[in-house]
Amino acid sequence: MNKIVFRSRVDWWVWTIPLFAVAVSLIACIGSSLWFKLIYGVGYGILMFGLLITGIYGCWYTVEGDSLLVYNFFRPTRLTISKIKEIKYCRGFIAGPAASTRRLSIKFTDRSVLKSSMPIEISPRDRDAFVKKLLQINPDISVIGMQ
């Protein structure tokens, strides 16, 4: 079966969050003992770096047959492409499997797909190629704001 992987776009601000947290933890270590600095500062730094790498590299999208697999923290969610009603180019910070503000909002015809009426927002690196691939599989998809 033909399988195409689309990596997630990563904005610059994603890198600033763990750097800020590590800086705060190092500032909190000022004036404490050397062992506390090593254990707390280094341990927290390694933990934050691990979470960052997991969040960034654990998010991608795969088109396989009539399925769209959305991987978030290496955990896949299978969505049916034939049930996609609308794709909208958007920007936002709503929580979802995306590491960028340049996103695609995907609405489905059936509430049972996501068990909600809310759309899912994803951020593939090449949004246009991603939309074209979905349109090849389901030409009935309405695209709003294509750039």
Side-chain angles (χ1 to χ4, degrees):
M1 190 177 305
N2 193 7
K3 177 177 160 179
I4 299 175
V5 176
F6 294 90
R7 300 300 304 179
S8 179
R9 175 187 301 275
V10 180
D11 283 348
W12 64 270
W13 58 266
V14 173
W15 296 100
T16 62
I17 295 169
L19 291 175
F20 177 75
V22 169
V24 168
S25 70
L26 292 177
I27 291 170
C29 290
I30 293 175
S32 59
S33 70
L34 177 63
W35 288 108
F36 181 77
K37 288 178 186 177
L38 286 175
I39 292 170
Y40 183 74
V42 172
Y44 189 74
I46 291 171
L47 176 70
M48 286 305 299
F49 184 74
L51 287 173
L52 170 72
I53 295 301
T54 302
I56 290 174
Y57 294 107
C59 182
W60 70 90
Y61 320 103
T62 303
V63 176
E64 188 175 333
D66 186 39
S67 294
L68 168 62
L69 283 103
V70 177
Y71 288 86
N72 193 20
F73 292 106
F74 301 105
R75 200 185 87 227
T77 302
R78 185 175 297 273
L79 306 169
T80 309
I81 295 173
S82 61
K83 292 188 177 186
I84 295 176
K85 176 174 67 172
E86 177 184 284
I87 298 175
K88 180 179 174 183
Y89 284 75
C90 64
R91 290 181 165 269
F93 287 100
I94 294 177
S100 174
T101 57
R102 294 170 49 178
R103 300 178 175 198
L104 294 173
S105 178
I106 300 175
K107 291 184 182 178
F108 294 90
T109 58
D110 190 4
R111 276 184 57 131
S112 66
V113 176
L114 289 175
K115 297 173 183 54
S116 168
S117 60
M118 295 294 294
I120 185 170
E121 289 191 1
I122 61 175
S123 63
R125 191 176 292 156
D126 187 358
R127 295 189 296 177
D128 295 333
F130 183 81
V131 170
K132 285 178 186 174
K133 183 62 182 173
L134 293 181
L135 285 172
Q136 286 176 356
I137 297 168
N138 181 4
D140 296 330
I141 298 172
S142 170
V143 180
I144 300 172
M146 190 167 193
Q147 298 172 346

